Amino acid sequence: MAAPQLKNGSALGTSTSSISVMASFMTMGIRSSFHSLVALLLTFLVVAAVYVTQNGGNQLVEETATPPRSSNLLTSRCDLFAGKWVFDNLSYPLYKEQECSFMSDQLACHKFGRKDLDYQHWRWQPHQCDIPRFNATALLERLRNKRLVYVGDSLNRGQWVSMVCLVDSAIPAEFKSQKHTVNGSLIVFKAHAYNATIEFYWAPLLVESNSDDPISHRVPDRIVRVQGIEKHAKYWTDADILVFNSYLWWRRSEMKAMWGSFTGPDGGIVKAVKMPRVYEMALQTWADWLEVHINRTKTKLFFVSISPTHQEAQEWGGSSEGNCYGETDPILKEGYRGRATCPKMMRVVDNVLDGLKARGMNVQMINITQLTEYRKEGHPSIYRKQWEPLTDEQRLNPSSYADCIHWCLPGVPDVWNELLYAYILDL
């Protein structure tokens, strides 16, 4: 039988073929759309991967480049002790001599006749940074419920007077006091609103000696008890910040050292020991005491380096008979070093502090030596009072009576305290 014919002569086979073609086109469209979607998805993934890689890479660089917190501290990234003195009569002095309630007559040079006051207007400028401007309130907040104790000789006492004067004007009279205890060896300035004390303890050799009386300490034959420190140390064991110094009283070729007790039945064994060995023995006793008794999580330790003297003017080009008397300007030659500063003694301190550091105890050096070398004009000279003011006859003999060891205030010790303040801010 013949196959059935559709109208217009179209065969059923022809219609089926058309449907197949259409299906084929539809399949191709779906496949094309699928491939497009895949391509689009792949493109998105590639772009996202590039973005994440670039962004993640930047984040990694930032995290790697970000220094640890400690290296952001000023005292970690800047040598505060390398710099120059800049005359600044706009910002300095930081206080006025006559307005400090606790000024020492030994350091009040203007009060005792000094007319040239440029020594008050010099600012220390490190080469790499600026020292933080001293803020008395900020310091007192750091010292709230704490003890800051200076331990050492009359130079350290001068730095203590400086610090008291620096905070004095920020405290109303009714909220501050000062008292002497321990037979005058310990002087305590208290800021009552902060429950904070700034103290000085007289121990010129750090260890015990026959010069421990804060007033009657001038003895012809100085003896140091090289293994004894407890008599002094018990008064500052629990301090929060300790600032030590000791050099001035060691300036001799040898010193008598004692093993045993000053008050024992045999009086102890006494032997003359050369410098700097006897100095090293005393500092080692001090270091051993710190290691055993100091609470390392509480107490911060500082050691102030040698304060130079200016007793021979020929060292900086002056006359052979001259000293600091009459000097009105600092030494401008960078790196100047006078003969009174003993490198051997400085190395002893460095070695002892390095030894402590190796045993896990850090004592920060406040290295005032080089910056203070320049300040030949900053001493009291004849403008001072020791026990009594100098007589007119003594004033006419500055070669014998000029004090070229201590420092006028306001003056150089204020900068020592500004450096200490920078470290306290970083604690």
Side-chain angles (χ1 to χ4, degrees):
M1 178 180 273
Q5 297 287 322
L6 295 179
K7 201 174 188 174
N8 299 328
S10 297
L12 180 61
T14 304
S15 177
T16 302
S17 175
S18 298
I19 292 171
S20 298
V21 170
M22 291 176 64
S24 177
F25 274 107
M26 289 177 66
T27 302
M28 290 176 62
I30 293 170
R31 288 177 178 173
S32 178
S33 299
F34 175 76
H35 287 307
S36 297
L37 286 170
V38 170
L40 183 62
L41 179 61
L42 289 173
T43 302
F44 174 80
L45 290 174
V46 170
V47 171
V50 171
Y51 174 81
V52 169
T53 301
Q54 290 179 343
N55 197 51
N58 288 339
Q59 185 177 10
L60 179 61
V61 170
E62 289 174 3
E63 290 177 354
T64 303
T66 301
R69 180 181 180 276
S70 61
S71 63
N72 280 328
L73 302 178
L74 175 65
T75 53
S76 299
R77 58 184 169 81
C78 175
D79 183 357
L80 298 179
F81 312 113
K84 62 182 180 179
W85 288 98
V86 176
F87 188 78
D88 181 356
N89 59 357
L90 297 178
S91 304
Y92 286 76
L94 298 174
Y95 57 88
K96 294 182 179 180
E97 175 190 307
Q98 64 274 20
E99 294 178 0
C100 177
S101 310
F102 305 96
M103 177 60 66
S104 167
D105 280 348
Q106 186 181 3
L107 312 174
C109 302
H110 181 45
K111 176 180 177 180
F112 288 94
R114 184 162 182 176
K115 303 300 182 185
D116 63 291
L117 301 181
D118 283 355
Y119 67 88
Q120 299 183 357
H121 300 297
W122 290 91
R123 170 173 55 84
W124 178 247
Q125 178 62 59
H127 290 314
Q128 302 171 338
C129 61
D130 295 324
I131 298 174
R133 175 76 176 178
F134 188 88
N135 184 311
T137 303
L139 177 69
L140 290 167
E141 283 293 347
R142 294 296 180 111
L143 296 181
R144 185 180 289 277
N145 300 317
K146 291 182 171 63
R147 294 178 67 201
L148 164 59
V149 184
Y150 293 82
V151 179
D153 58 27
S154 55
L155 288 163
N156 219 21
R157 183 172 58 208
Q159 188 174 354
W160 168 78
V161 173
S162 162
M163 183 62 88
V164 170
C165 289
L166 284 166
V167 302
D168 181 40
S169 63
I171 309 170
E174 63 270 24
F175 294 112
K176 58 191 173 187
S177 63
Q178 181 173 295
K179 67 176 181 179
H180 293 65
T181 63
V182 194
N183 195 32
S185 292
L186 181 63
I187 313 174
V188 181
F189 171 86
K190 185 167 186 177
H192 295 275
Y194 296 89
N195 191 33
T197 61
I198 303 173
E199 308 173 32
F200 171 74
Y201 185 87
W202 172 261
L205 298 152
L206 293 184
V207 294
E208 297 171 25
S209 74
N210 62 347
S211 299
D212 286 343
D213 189 290
I215 298 175
S216 302
H217 48 248
R218 292 187 176 275
V219 293
D221 199 11
R222 191 169 298 161
I223 303 173
V224 59
R225 186 170 172 241
V226 289
Q227 294 179 326
I229 196 172
E230 294 81 5
K231 185 183 79 172
H232 298 320
K234 65 184 179 181
Y235 293 106
W236 31 268
T237 301
D238 65 342
D240 299 275
I241 302 174
L242 281 166
V243 183
F244 297 97
N245 91 318
S246 187
Y247 170 71
L248 181 63
W249 285 55
W250 298 94
R251 297 189 311 157
R252 50 185 63 197
S253 60
E254 66 178 27
M255 190 178 295
K256 288 184 178 179
M258 171 180 284
W259 289 262
S261 172
F262 285 112
T263 59
D266 59 357
I269 300 172
V270 179
K271 179 182 178 181
V273 182
K274 298 288 186 181
M275 290 292 172
R277 175 56 184 154
V278 65
Y279 183 54
E280 181 183 22
M281 293 166 66
L283 283 185
Q284 194 58 59
T285 295
W286 166 79
D288 291 344
W289 183 90
L290 292 178
E291 185 179 10
V292 173
H293 294 90
I294 287 296
N295 183 341
R296 304 179 190 205
T297 62
K298 172 188 176 182
T299 304
K300 306 304 178 184
L301 303 168
F302 298 91
F303 195 97
V304 181
S305 68
I306 293 173
S307 171
T309 64
H310 296 92
Q311 296 171 303
E312 298 184 20
Q314 59 185 347
E315 292 183 5
W316 58 83
S319 69
S320 57
E321 296 81 21
N323 52 30
C324 68
Y325 172 72
E327 297 290 342
T328 58
D329 296 303
I331 296 167
L332 300 179
K333 180 182 177 182
E334 187 166 358
Y336 166 82
R337 180 63 61 87
R339 290 194 295 270
T341 304
C342 179
K344 288 184 179 180
M345 301 288 273
M346 295 173 72
R347 283 194 293 270
V348 167
V349 176
D350 289 339
N351 292 338
V352 171
L353 298 193
D354 287 345
L356 277 170
K357 187 175 183 179
R359 303 199 295 271
M361 174 157 284
N362 182 55
V363 181
Q364 176 61 53
M365 175 77 81
I366 304 295
N367 193 354
I368 66 166
T369 304
Q370 183 60 72
L371 66 93
T372 308
E373 285 276 16
Y374 303 124
R375 295 300 305 275
K376 60 181 171 60
E377 90 301 353
H379 299 283
S381 181
I382 61 172
Y383 307 106
R384 62 185 176 87
K385 174 184 177 182
Q386 188 67 31
W387 310 117
E388 297 293 335
L390 296 182
T391 65
D392 291 339
E393 184 179 355
Q394 290 171 331
R395 285 174 177 268
L396 293 173
N397 186 12
S399 60
S400 298
Y401 291 96
D403 179 355
C404 300
I405 295 174
H406 300 94
W407 301 94
C408 297
L409 290 179
V412 174
D414 300 328
V415 173
W416 303 348
N417 279 321
E418 285 185 283
L419 296 168
L420 175 63
Y421 172 71
Y423 279 95
I424 292 175
L425 288 182
D426 281 355
L427 293 179

